[in-house]
Amino acid sequence: MGPRRTCAQIGCKIKECIDAGELSPSALGLLQNAQETHTYRRGDTIFVQGEVPTGIYCLRSGNALLTHVDAFKHKTGFRVVSQGEIIGYRSMFGEDTHAATAQALATTDICFYPKEAIVATIDTHSGFARRFLRTLARDRGPPDGLLLRGQHLPVRVRLMHLLSVLKDNFSETADDGMLTFQLPLTRRDIASMLAARPESITRAIAELKRENVVIFSGRQVKVPDPERLYVLSGQSG
Amino acid sequence: MGPRRTCAQIGCKIKECIDAGELSPSALGLLQNAQETHTYRRGDTIFVQGEVPTGIYCLRSGNALLTHVDAFKHKTGFRVVSQGEIIGYRSMFGEDTHAATAQALATTDICFYPKEAIVATIDTHSGFARRFLRTLARDRGPPDGLLLRGQHLPVRVRLMHLLSVLKDNFSETADDGMLTFQLPLTRRDIASMLAARPESITRAIAELKRENVVIFSGRQVKVPDPERLYVLSGQSG
DNA sequence: CGTACCGTTGAGGTGAGTCAAAGTAAGTGG
DNA sequence: CCACTTACTTTGACTCACCTCAACGGTACG
């Protein structure tokens, strides 16, 4: 393995904020000194719902799932995070305990930035602050999430919607013209994101295969006609 | 009617940001000069999904409902806004079109602050920016919203949850010891918030009345034992 | 005194949950 | 490399909460 690259070197969202903030070399140095890097294995928890946030996390590699457990102990996955994305900032800025648990879905390298370093940079660089406002505002507006969970749509359609959201992060190559990618989620994870049961996911997958819209083999996914997937899943763009 | 009070005089969230930002008199003057006040009647639209945001809105009185329409034309209400709260800022900071439509549920007075004025204040007052980050972060985290829409819970429980959220904003007096309040929503509105049908809401209401948990008469709501409502609806605090 | 919307009630159909069981893949230790 | 455990996945039969469709009463308003 070569030398560790910092988060800023892989074009993550923190980097975007740093660029927008036009940080001085000294301010940049302070941020980079405060940063720590950790590696997580599949299933490891990054932070836990209810804990007090101590900073924010930026994924260098791998991916993670954010889940929320309600008062009835129902576990609901609501977001898959992949390379370059930041997590844990909502609760930190909200000055509240973590509203979700983050777990690695695969081996994942993560940069941690302590709260004080981020807050200090925000206070001294308005461009950095404004960029964070933008990031926060773009995260989970009404469109995403609502479609995935509305029971007015059948599970099959919600699954297609999830796939067309995930494909942006995970699509690999189109060897034989098909859109192909590897799902980072178990059937159980998918079920928890769609507010459904694993059995229902299995049945929906079988149905999609029958209709030749999406072909699953294990976690390998093939989409013969991506355009059709968009339309059927209610994506406008 | 007496002289119009500015938004800052009724203790709204903008006021909180202004206080946190320690604005100079001149900066404060600029903000207040830029502000406009409008009155909306029941059903009037404040802004529409898809429009480009031009500023943010703060409710002086009355209340409004935020709704989202998906690609399948399903209209979903996801938040009731009341006095002192700000709307429209998520899309503005996200530099995107409005992700929701806001409509007045009753006669409603609203302060409008143009985008330029807000952005200018953010750029010059880090406390103001940080407070906005907090407000944004606290708005609609995973806990709220998920419970209301998860189909793993029966409509009756989701309705109880909605009531126990709304009662914070709308509860009036407990004349005869009961918690009493006026719902600002039609059955159809409630249904759209719970991802259910108006008929199902009617039936759930009848059921709750039978169990003596919540007593409806029209939009007048009485809760004999608020504690029981919390527990049954899965509120922890 | 219509017209329009809101709210209620009933009958019937169905998508998805539940329960139970068997098959498959993945990891562990001898 | 093979037993063994553990977790994930699939299948089938049954049940039910909610949706759909349809009709009707109440209230507001021009």
Side-chain angles (χ1 to χ4, degrees):
Chain A
M1 199 195 296
R4 299 217 145 188
R5 292 172 305 167
T6 67
C7 187
Q9 285 171 293
I10 58 159
C12 76
K13 304 232 167 168
I14 293 271
K15 174 87 161 52
E16 286 176 24
C17 295
I18 287 171
D19 289 347
E22 297 173 348
L23 265 59
S24 64
S26 70
L28 186 57
L30 279 177
L31 252 193
Q32 291 185 338
N33 268 336
Q35 165 218 315
E36 296 165 23
T37 305
H38 295 286
T39 299
Y40 299 83
R41 300 263 177 82
R42 169 169 175 82
D44 288 353
T45 61
I46 298 154
F47 54 80
V48 176
Q49 184 175 342
E51 283 179 354
V52 174
T54 57
I56 63 178
Y57 306 79
C58 180
L59 270 68
R60 286 203 329 157
S61 69
N63 35 66
L65 179 65
L66 296 181
T67 57
H68 171 76
V69 177
D70 67 25
F72 298 97
K73 315 276 183 193
H74 287 125
K75 191 171 159 187
T76 305
F78 64 94
R79 191 172 152 205
V80 178
V81 193
S82 53
Q83 193 182 80
E85 295 190 274
I86 317 173
I87 54 177
Y89 56 106
R90 172 182 294 276
S91 301
M92 191 189 82
F93 287 123
E95 289 164 21
D96 202 351
T97 55
H98 279 300
T101 295
Q103 283 185 294
L105 289 170
T107 302
T108 301
D109 290 330
I110 292 188
C111 287
F112 173 78
Y113 292 85
K115 179 173 180 175
E116 313 80 57
I118 296 294
V119 169
T121 310
I122 281 172
D123 280 349
T124 51
H125 298 78
S126 66
F128 189 78
R130 195 130 56 86
R131 187 63 180 207
F132 249 109
L133 266 168
R134 198 188 111 146
T135 304
L136 199 45
R138 292 196 158 221
D139 175 24
R140 315 197 336 93
D144 271 11
L146 283 191
L147 245 186
L148 289 179
R149 310 190 52 74
Q151 57 261 79
H152 46 75
L153 296 178
V155 168
R156 178 173 31 86
V157 176
R158 283 182 270 159
L159 176 59
M160 287 191 281
H161 187 79
L162 178 64
L163 289 176
S164 65
V165 169
L166 289 180
K167 77 125 194 41
D168 294 335
N169 289 324
F170 298 99
S171 65
E172 294 175 353
T173 41
D175 335 347
D176 48 349
M178 287 190 190
L179 174 67
T180 304
F181 62 100
Q182 191 80 16
L183 264 189
L185 303 166
T186 65
R187 301 284 189 260
R188 187 186 307 278
D189 291 334
I190 298 170
S192 93
M193 295 193 75
L194 304 185
R197 298 286 149 187
E199 297 95 319
S200 300
I201 302 302
T202 292
R203 289 186 245 265
I205 285 173
E207 210 173 323
L208 290 180
K209 188 180 275 179
R210 232 177 291 129
E211 296 169 10
N212 207 41
V213 180
V214 183
I215 296 138
F216 286 74
S217 43
R219 295 195 195 168
Q220 190 70 223
V221 181
K222 288 193 177 193
V223 184
D225 183 357
E227 195 55 44
R228 189 145 155 257
L229 181 66
Y230 292 152
V231 175
L232 290 175
S233 69
Q235 303 276 88
S236 45
Chain B
M1 200 196 295
R4 300 217 145 188
R5 292 173 304 166
T6 67
C7 187
Q9 284 171 293
I10 58 159
C12 76
K13 304 231 168 169
I14 293 271
K15 174 86 161 52
E16 287 176 24
C17 295
I18 287 170
D19 289 347
E22 296 172 349
L23 264 59
S24 63
S26 69
L28 185 58
L30 278 177
L31 253 191
Q32 291 185 339
N33 267 337
Q35 165 218 313
E36 297 165 22
T37 304
H38 295 285
T39 299
Y40 299 83
R41 300 263 177 83
R42 169 169 176 82
D44 288 352
T45 61
I46 299 154
F47 53 81
V48 177
Q49 185 175 340
E51 282 179 354
V52 175
T54 57
I56 64 178
Y57 306 78
C58 180
L59 270 70
R60 285 202 332 155
S61 70
N63 36 66
L65 179 65
L66 296 181
T67 56
H68 172 76
V69 177
D70 66 26
F72 299 97
K73 315 275 183 194
H74 288 125
K75 190 170 159 187
T76 304
F78 64 94
R79 192 174 152 204
V80 178
V81 193
S82 52
Q83 192 182 81
E85 295 190 274
I86 318 173
I87 54 177
Y89 57 106
R90 171 182 294 276
S91 301
M92 191 189 81
F93 287 123
E95 289 165 21
D96 202 352
T97 55
H98 279 299
T101 295
Q103 284 184 293
L105 288 170
T107 303
T108 301
D109 289 330
I110 292 188
C111 287
F112 173 77
Y113 292 85
K115 179 172 180 176
E116 311 82 57
I118 297 293
V119 169
T121 311
I122 281 171
D123 280 350
T124 51
H125 297 79
S126 66
F128 189 78
R130 195 131 56 85
R131 187 62 181 208
F132 248 110
L133 266 169
R134 196 187 112 146
T135 303
L136 201 44
R138 293 197 157 219
D139 174 25
R140 313 196 338 95
D144 270 11
L146 283 190
L147 245 187
L148 288 179
R149 309 190 52 76
Q151 58 261 78
H152 46 74
L153 296 178
V155 168
R156 178 173 31 85
V157 176
R158 299 195 314 245
L159 177 59
M160 287 192 282
H161 188 78
L162 177 64
L163 289 176
S164 66
V165 169
L166 289 180
K167 76 127 195 41
D168 295 334
N169 288 324
F170 298 100
S171 66
E172 293 175 355
T173 40
D175 335 346
D176 49 348
M178 286 191 188
L179 174 68
T180 305
F181 61 100
Q182 190 79 15
L183 264 190
L185 304 166
T186 65
R187 302 285 188 259
R188 187 186 306 279
D189 291 335
I190 298 171
S192 92
M193 295 193 76
L194 304 184
R197 297 285 148 186
E199 297 94 320
S200 300
I201 303 302
T202 292
R203 289 186 244 266
I205 285 173
E207 209 173 322
L208 289 179
K209 189 180 273 179
R210 231 177 293 129
E211 296 168 12
N212 208 42
V213 180
V214 184
I215 297 137
F216 286 73
S217 42
R219 295 193 194 169
Q220 189 70 221
V221 180
K222 288 193 177 196
V223 184
D225 183 356
E227 195 55 44
R228 188 145 155 257
L229 182 66
Y230 292 152
V231 174
L232 290 174
S233 70
Q235 303 276 88
S236 45

